[in-house]
């Protein structure tokens, strides 16, 4: 199947079966989503959501977090993965927002990447979710699903992102990110994917390769 046809069929199926996908991280402001996404690195959204209400209450604005001590932040996130690094990143991120961006979360991925603790994936998440920018964040779920289905042959995150950006129309990219991440989280899982529950069997490269009819 040609790539253009594959993308069309994938888009059609998700549009019909996952109409309004969105991030599962809880947040109320762009700043708070940025905190949540930084905390979610190598940690489940569910665990992050348990801790963020208290964090958001304590640090409603960047200036509040910018003036916090390491110990104060660490105590709030110590049961989340890599709390030492994340505490430093959160404080540094807030300080840079205050000093360089007047306390506002920038909309461009390139500017977001200048913040401590913000890599390309995090920057693209914020840019797409908050500002509806035509970018796709590639995490482990998106990487896995894209390669399994055949949307990308890329062996690096950058290569997969490039393929997805070329394959999905600009207005679809923020939505496509959620399609793929949620599909990977609940159906096309890393171990024991639930192929029997997947409506993409007929076009999934890996499924077809492993279930050739003799």
């Amino acid at each position: 199947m040609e790539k253009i046809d594959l993308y069309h069929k994938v888009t059609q199926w998700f549009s019909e079966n996952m109409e309004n996908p969105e991030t599962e991280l809880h947040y109320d402001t762009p700043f708070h989503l940025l905190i949540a996404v930084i905390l979610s690195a190598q940690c489940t959204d569910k665990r992050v959501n348990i801790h963020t209400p208290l964090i958001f209450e304590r640090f409603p604005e960047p200036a509040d977090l910018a003036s916090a001590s390491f110990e104060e932040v660490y105590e709030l996130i110590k049961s989340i993965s890599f709390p030492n690094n994340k505490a430093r990143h959160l404080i540094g991120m807030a300080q840079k927002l205050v000093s360089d961006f007047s306390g506002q979360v920038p909309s461009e991925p390139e500017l977001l990447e200048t913040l401590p603790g913000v890599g390309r994936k995090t920057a693209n998440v914020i840019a797409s979710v908050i500002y509806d920018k035509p970018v796709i964040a590639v995490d482990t779920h998106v990487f896995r699903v894209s390669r399994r289905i055949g949307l990308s042959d890329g062996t690096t995150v950058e290569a997969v992102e490039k393929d997805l950006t070329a394959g999905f129309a600009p207005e679809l990219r923020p939505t496509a990110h959620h399609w793929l991440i949620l599909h990977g989280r609940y159906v096309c899982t890393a171990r024991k994917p639930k192929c029997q529950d997947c409506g993409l069997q007929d076009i999934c490269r890996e499924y077809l390769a492993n279930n050739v009819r003799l």
Side-chain angles (χ1 to χ4, degrees):
M1 182 183 296
E2 296 291 331
K3 276 289 197 296
I4 189 171
D5 296 322
L6 179 61
Y7 272 90
H8 174 73
K9 288 181 177 296
V10 167
T11 297
Q12 183 178 34
W13 187 85
F14 276 119
S15 296
E16 294 172 355
N17 292 277
M18 198 185 296
E19 294 184 8
N20 298 298
E22 57 185 17
T23 180
E24 293 186 312
L25 289 169
H26 299 166
Y27 70 98
D28 51 8
T29 67
F31 171 58
H32 286 167
L33 179 60
L34 183 52
I35 290 176
V37 177
I38 290 174
L39 290 175
S40 71
Q42 296 182 277
C43 186
T44 66
D45 288 1
K46 183 178 181 179
R47 175 167 287 277
V48 171
N49 288 337
I50 291 172
H51 295 277
T52 47
L54 186 57
I55 297 170
F56 297 164
E57 180 182 356
R58 176 63 187 83
F59 308 116
E61 301 293 339
D64 302 306
L65 181 55
S67 61
S69 68
F70 169 84
E71 290 75 19
E72 185 178 7
V73 176
Y74 177 84
E75 281 300 312
L76 292 172
I77 67 170
K78 61 184 179 182
S79 65
I80 292 177
S81 59
F82 307 105
N84 287 288
N85 286 339
K86 289 179 180 178
R88 295 188 182 92
H89 287 157
L90 289 176
I91 295 170
M93 172 272 290
Q95 290 174 340
K96 193 169 182 66
L97 284 181
V98 171
S99 64
D100 293 9
F101 300 102
S102 301
Q104 301 300 309
V105 176
S107 61
E108 296 301 324
E110 295 77 12
L111 294 177
L112 285 160
E113 284 191 73
T114 67
L115 301 171
V118 178
R120 187 173 185 86
K121 184 203 76 173
T122 298
N124 283 355
V125 169
I126 299 301
S128 63
V129 171
I130 297 297
Y131 300 108
D132 205 31
K133 295 288 184 178
V135 294
I136 293 183
V138 178
D139 69 352
T140 56
H141 298 299
V142 175
F143 185 86
R144 178 178 66 256
V145 172
S146 299
R147 286 171 47 80
R148 281 180 176 173
I149 294 175
L151 296 174
S152 177
D153 299 316
T155 57
T156 65
V157 168
E158 292 77 12
V160 171
E161 181 185 333
K162 182 178 179 180
D163 287 341
L164 296 178
T165 300
F168 287 111
E171 66 275 11
L172 278 178
R173 291 170 195 162
T175 301
H177 160 71
H178 294 303
W179 282 339
L180 296 172
I181 193 173
L182 292 172
H183 194 65
R185 186 172 289 165
Y186 297 111
V187 180
C188 193
T189 51
R191 297 181 181 180
K192 298 182 179 180
K194 302 172 184 176
C195 296
Q196 71 279 4
D197 299 329
C198 179
L200 297 172
Q201 289 180 4
D202 292 344
I203 58 174
C204 175
R205 174 172 61 185
E206 185 162 319
Y207 180 82
L208 293 173
N210 293 330
N211 293 272
V212 176
R213 294 181 179 178
L214 300 178

